[in-house]
Amino acid sequence: NSKLRHVEKDVLIPQIMRDRAKELCSDKVQAFTKCCQETGFLMVVKCRKENSALKDCLVGYYSDPLFYEQCKTEYLKQREEYRATGIKKKKQKLTSNM
């Protein structure tokens, strides 16, 4: 049964999308983080370029219908595994070298 509840469409699948997009945009996440760490209080002004690149990357994924379908499929697979085993998949910690 692949019918989705409101919370799945509006919360759980978008969470997978955010997590995957952050992984796929990790180079831009790292560049923005590095800029902020090096700049301190002036980061709003000095890190505009890095912030724009990061936003563009993330929004590109969030607005891609194919990406949504991939994340929905991933969610349905996790849901099916959970229903079959009763074991919830642990959310993987994103590791980065920041």
Side-chain angles (χ1 to χ4, degrees), residues 14-60:
Q15 182 60 52
I16 290 173
M17 291 177 75
R18 281 190 297 276
D19 291 346
R20 285 196 60 209
K22 279 185 201 164
E23 285 177 30
L24 294 166
C25 298
S26 66
D27 57 332
K28 290 159 185 66
V29 170
Q30 288 176 349
F32 179 66
T33 302
K34 184 177 183 218
C35 180
C36 290
Q37 288 170 342
E38 291 173 354
T39 310
F41 292 114
L42 297 174
M43 68 182 151
V44 175
V45 176
K46 299 232 177 188
C47 299
R48 278 191 189 138
K49 183 181 81 184
E50 291 82 356
N51 190 27
S52 280
L54 175 56
K55 274 193 212 170
D56 290 347
C57 184
L58 294 173
V59 170

Side-chain angles (χ1 to χ4, degrees), residues 44-85:
V44 175
V45 176
K46 299 232 177 188
C47 299
R48 278 191 189 138
K49 183 181 81 184
E50 291 82 356
N51 190 27
S52 280
L54 175 56
K55 274 193 212 170
D56 290 347
C57 184
L58 294 173
V59 170
Y61 284 109
Y62 298 157
S63 58
D64 180 353
L66 182 61
F67 185 68
Y68 175 84
E69 288 303 318
Q70 290 169 344
C71 292
K72 177 176 143 185
T73 300
E74 182 179 326
Y75 171 76
L76 290 172
K77 188 174 144 213
Q78 289 174 8
R79 185 177 78 173
E80 188 179 320
E81 286 174 16
Y82 173 72
R83 288 179 176 176
T85 64

